[in-house]
Amino acid sequence: MFSTVHSLSGSKYQPFYKYKITKTDEYYTYELPAHNECKLTRLHDPADVEGGKLILSRSHFLPAGGGTDFSTNAAESIYYVAKGKLLFKGEDGQETLLEEGDSVHIAANSPKCVTNVGVETAIMLVILLPAQ
């Protein structure tokens, strides 16, 4: 549900802002092909952000191999590692260790994969920017 907040009284234009808060127990899980040993949770759907301009998800990859197959996504993507260690492999074949606080931007339709190489569950925020 969206809430509306009005600007301070006396403002010439009286703009309003809409926002949606997703509490920890309000997300939902989903499954995707090419994702292994993981739990995927959707925090904000396309309908939440101006008709699909952005999707926000959180992925939990189990230790010792949880991750994705080498594949593409039609959406431009940003991955942010919130916890753990993930090995990222891009279309050039280069492998890069991503640790807590690291991020990677991936162009639409670019092959890539991530694998949890740590000893704990890795958590990654995924921001998808679908083609408009």
Side-chain angles (χ1 to χ4, degrees), residues 43-131:
L43 303 173
H44 293 279
D45 282 315
D48 294 343
V49 185
E50 293 188 39
K53 292 184 180 178
L54 181 139
I55 301 167
L56 177 62
S57 298
R58 181 175 54 209
S59 300
H60 299 78
F61 298 108
L62 295 179
T68 64
D69 295 341
F70 199 68
S71 60
T72 63
N73 186 324
E76 186 175 358
S77 307
I78 298 172
Y79 295 168
Y80 174 83
V81 180
K83 179 180 174 186
K85 296 179 182 183
L86 293 166
L87 187 64
F88 173 84
K89 182 178 177 182
E91 65 182 317
D92 59 0
Q94 181 176 340
E95 294 181 337
T96 303
L97 180 64
L98 300 176
E99 299 180 86
E100 188 173 322
D102 292 343
S103 64
V104 60
H105 170 259
I106 305 136
N109 301 306
S110 294
K112 79 289 190 188
C113 64
V114 294
T115 305
N116 184 351
V117 294
V119 295
E120 64 182 350
T121 298
I123 300 174
M124 181 174 75
L125 292 178
V126 179
I127 301 166
L128 300 173
L129 306 163

